[in-house]
Amino acid sequence: MNSIRRDIRRPRPLQEAARRAAVIRRANRRAAGAVTPVRRAMSRRRSTFKAKAEAKEITFDQQIPAGCEVTAHREGLFHVFENLLDNDVKHSPRKRVIRLASKTREDGRMELSVEDQGPGIPKEVQNRVFERFFRVDVSRSREAGGTGLGLAIVKHLMDKMRGEVALTSEEGKGSVFTLILPKPSI
Ligand SMILES: Nc1ncnc2c1ncn2[C@@H]1O[C@H](COP(=O)(O)OP(=O)(O)OP(=O)(O)O)[C@@H](O)[C@H]1O
Ligand SMILES: [Mg+2]
């Protein structure tokens, strides 16, 4: 339990916060609601986690159909996926699979899910992982090079896009991050 705490003493997170604040400012300036093809938003440019995934022999099970579209800000959605997939790759053991899926909800919105087979996140902190600088296990996260900003950015961007993000996770089994966004109207 001692390892579950905030760590705001190191200078690096603050520099990182400034750099990422620029991403948020850019996203804020643009309209939230453009028709965005999900798969293109995910692979728009070279992603930072890909080399790490290759080194750990982690594979992606891409189940999102090519025609899947949501109403979102494309760069914002790209950063959301970057942060979620970076976390999954960072925390998953070697040779695991990361699954990406989509479905239309009963309320007509799109649900996009990112599921890993990593260590999971304890129930008692699941509602805190979206706070800035919060890290579940400080020693493990330091080893993995985290600053605790990624999920706070995900939450902020999803709010801006009038979407939602939710987490379900079981320790020892893995985590599922679910994104809910409006579907483009025909
Ligand atoms: N897929 C995951 N599996 C297990 N733990 C996770 C996962 N995603 C996030 N976490 C936990 O939640 C914490 C917060 O994640 P967040 O992305 O905000 O920060 P970070 O990855 O440590 O740093 P940053 O994203 O700024 O590089 C992480 O430190 C980690 O402890
Ligand atoms: Mg992260």
Side-chain angles (χ1 to χ4, degrees):
M1 264 312 197
N2 279 345
S3 60
I4 299 174
R5 62 180 175 90
R6 276 163 184 266
D7 184 353
I8 55 170
R9 284 167 300 168
R10 295 180 310 143
R12 198 178 139 243
L14 298 175
Q15 290 156 13
E16 187 65 8
R19 190 183 69 76
R20 295 196 192 181
V23 169
I24 291 175
R25 275 198 300 277
R26 278 203 304 278
N28 284 349
R29 273 201 297 273
R30 292 176 189 148
V35 176
T36 300
V38 175
R39 281 178 47 165
R40 241 190 286 160
M42 290 169 68
S43 57
R44 205 167 49 79
R45 66 186 141 171
R46 199 172 158 71
S47 299
T48 49
F49 58 83
K50 280 192 182 148
K52 262 187 267 175
E54 267 169 41
K56 287 173 88 173
E57 294 179 72
I58 288 172
T59 51
F60 296 90
D61 177 15
Q62 166 65 278
Q63 297 288 340
I64 298 176
C68 177
E69 291 178 335
V70 291
T71 303
H73 173 247
R74 193 189 285 189
E75 191 184 342
L77 192 58
F78 171 79
H79 284 290
V80 166
F81 279 118
E82 273 280 285
N83 280 304
L84 294 180
L85 294 171
D86 181 69
N87 283 346
D88 291 353
V89 169
K90 218 159 45 174
H91 296 294
S92 292
R94 293 179 66 81
K95 297 194 176 182
R96 298 299 158 94
V97 178
I98 296 169
R99 185 162 295 121
L100 298 145
S102 63
K103 71 170 190 192
T104 303
R105 289 161 55 92
E106 275 179 16
D107 64 12
R109 293 184 295 170
M110 277 311 286
E111 192 170 298
L112 309 170
S113 58
V114 180
E115 178 175 355
D116 72 39
Q117 300 171 333
I121 297 172
K123 284 260 175 311
E124 64 271 21
V125 295
Q126 284 179 13
N127 59 352
R128 298 198 59 199
V129 292
F130 296 101
E131 292 174 13
R132 277 192 301 161
F133 301 120
F134 184 83
R135 292 175 297 163
V136 175
D137 180 330
V138 172
S139 58
R140 190 182 73 192
S141 296
R142 183 171 289 140
E143 219 172 276
T147 57
L149 285 167
L151 290 177
I153 290 170
V154 166
K155 175 82 176 70
H156 177 89
L157 291 171
M158 290 305 291
D159 287 349
K160 278 280 157 198
M161 292 190 278
R162 295 186 196 93
E164 290 170 33
V165 55
L167 162 66
T168 50
S169 179
E170 202 177 324
E171 266 189 286
K173 288 204 169 159
S175 308
V176 187
F177 285 86
T178 305
L179 310 170
I180 302 169
L181 282 161
K183 248 179 153 174
S185 44
I186 305 161

